[in-house]
Amino acid sequence: LSAAPAAAVGALNEAQRLVVRRALARRLTLIQGPPGTGKTRTACALLAACVALARNGVRPPLELAPAVPRRSRQAHQRAACAS
């Protein structure tokens, strides 16, 4: 986490910093919670940490993948089955 930009990490509370540290050591992390708990801020800090690590030649073990809405997944599956 020391390679992450100080501004992104400094804006987090201790629980959020812990999530970022743990996520950098795991392949899969799910960030969830009710509105207003800092999910977006935590995810942005995690992404900033990944970019900072990559700039220093370190590849974090996690893979970033966007969430796909259920309808889009189903449409994609139907299209794949039709071809």
Side-chain angles (χ1 to χ4, degrees), residues 19-78:
V19 168
V20 172
R21 281 194 300 271
R22 287 183 175 173
L24 289 171
R26 293 188 168 97
R27 189 163 179 224
L28 176 68
T29 298
L30 177 65
I31 300 173
Q32 64 179 20
T37 56
K39 296 175 299 294
T40 301
R41 183 180 304 241
T42 303
C44 289
L46 176 58
L47 184 57
C50 289
V51 169
L53 289 171
R55 285 182 176 162
N56 289 321
V58 177
R59 186 170 187 267
L62 62 107
E63 297 177 25
L64 302 175
V68 178
R70 178 176 228 157
R71 256 185 307 196
S72 297
R73 265 197 320 260
Q74 290 170 342
H76 178 71
Q77 289 169 345
R78 282 194 301 271

